[in-house]
Amino acid sequence: MATPYAIRSFRNALLAVVVLASLTTACKKSGIGGGDVDPRDQYVGVYEGGYQASNFLNNSLESKRESGTVTVTITKSEVIGQFYIDMLFNNTSSQKLTAELTDNAFKVIDKQSEPLVYDGTTYTANYTATGQFAEKDFLLNTVAETLQAGQTLSRRGSITATKK
C-alpha cells in the first residue's frame, strides 16, 4: 500500500513548512530580519510655513509681533533618535539646531542660550525649544528668558510649517 508512505511524506513536508514559517516570523518579531524602521524617516523632508516672535516684560507683551516666512529642512543625525533642523527665515537668515525625538515630540538639545535685545541692550538669555510633528506639520515653540534688575525679559516664538 502506497497510502501510508504518501501520508508520511505529506506530514513531513507540512512539518517542514510550519517550522520554516515559525522561524521566519520569530526573526521578524525580534528584529533579526533587518526590517526595523527608523521613526525619523517619516519626518525627513522640507517644510514651508511661517513664524511669529514677540518680546515680553514680566510676561506682558512689550513689542510688536514679528512674523515672516520660514523653510524648515529636517535631516537625520548620525546619532540614533536625533535629527537636524535647518531653518531659513525670510530667505535671508538661517539657523541649524539638533533635536532629540521621542515619539512625535522633540526637544532642541544643542542650544542653551540666545542673545535677547531689550531697550537697546543685549542680554544673554536661557533658551529652550520644544516641538512636535502632527501629521504633515512641523510645530516648534521657543523661549529665551532672563531676569534683569528684578524683571523678567523674554522672547517667545513659534513656527508652524507643512511638509511639501
Side-chain angles (χ1 to χ4, degrees):
M1 254 186 174
T3 305
Y5 293 109
I7 292 174
R8 190 176 307 144
S9 294
F10 178 72
R11 184 187 67 198
N12 289 343
L14 182 62
L15 182 61
V17 168
V18 169
V19 168
L20 284 175
S22 67
L23 287 175
T24 303
T25 304
C27 288
K28 289 205 185 270
K29 285 182 183 174
S30 67
I32 297 171
D36 293 338
V37 175
D38 188 336
R40 299 173 295 172
D41 289 338
Q42 63 188 315
Y43 305 123
V44 169
V46 177
Y47 298 74
E48 289 186 350
Y51 75 92
Q52 300 179 55
S54 296
N55 287 345
F56 292 84
L57 173 63
N58 291 328
N59 295 318
S60 295
L61 185 61
E62 189 62 28
S63 70
K64 293 173 83 176
R65 181 166 288 184
E66 175 188 332
S67 61
T69 62
V70 64
T71 300
V72 179
T73 304
I74 304 297
T75 55
K76 292 189 330 186
S77 164
E78 306 80 32
V79 179
I80 294 173
Q82 294 181 6
F83 62 95
Y84 299 118
I85 305 168
D86 285 300
M87 296 178 285
L88 179 61
F89 297 94
N90 298 322
N91 291 320
T92 58
S93 62
S94 63
Q95 182 177 36
K96 183 174 185 171
L97 302 170
T98 305
E100 192 165 68
L101 183 67
T102 304
D103 297 321
N104 70 325
F106 59 89
K107 180 178 182 177
V108 171
I109 59 172
D110 64 343
K111 184 176 181 182
Q112 287 78 36
S113 65
E114 179 173 84
L116 175 62
V117 179
Y118 180 76
D119 206 19
T121 304
T122 301
Y123 302 97
T124 299
N126 295 327
Y127 177 87
T128 58
T130 59
Q132 68 179 12
F133 294 98
E135 295 183 19
K136 291 189 172 207
D137 292 333
F138 169 88
L139 310 167
L140 177 68
N141 292 306
T142 65
V143 177
E145 189 170 84
T146 185
L147 186 62
Q148 298 295 323
Q151 296 186 5
T152 303
L153 307 176
S154 62
R155 180 169 179 82
R156 300 180 188 281
S158 66
I159 293 174
T160 303
T162 302
K163 195 171 191 178
K164 290 170 75 174

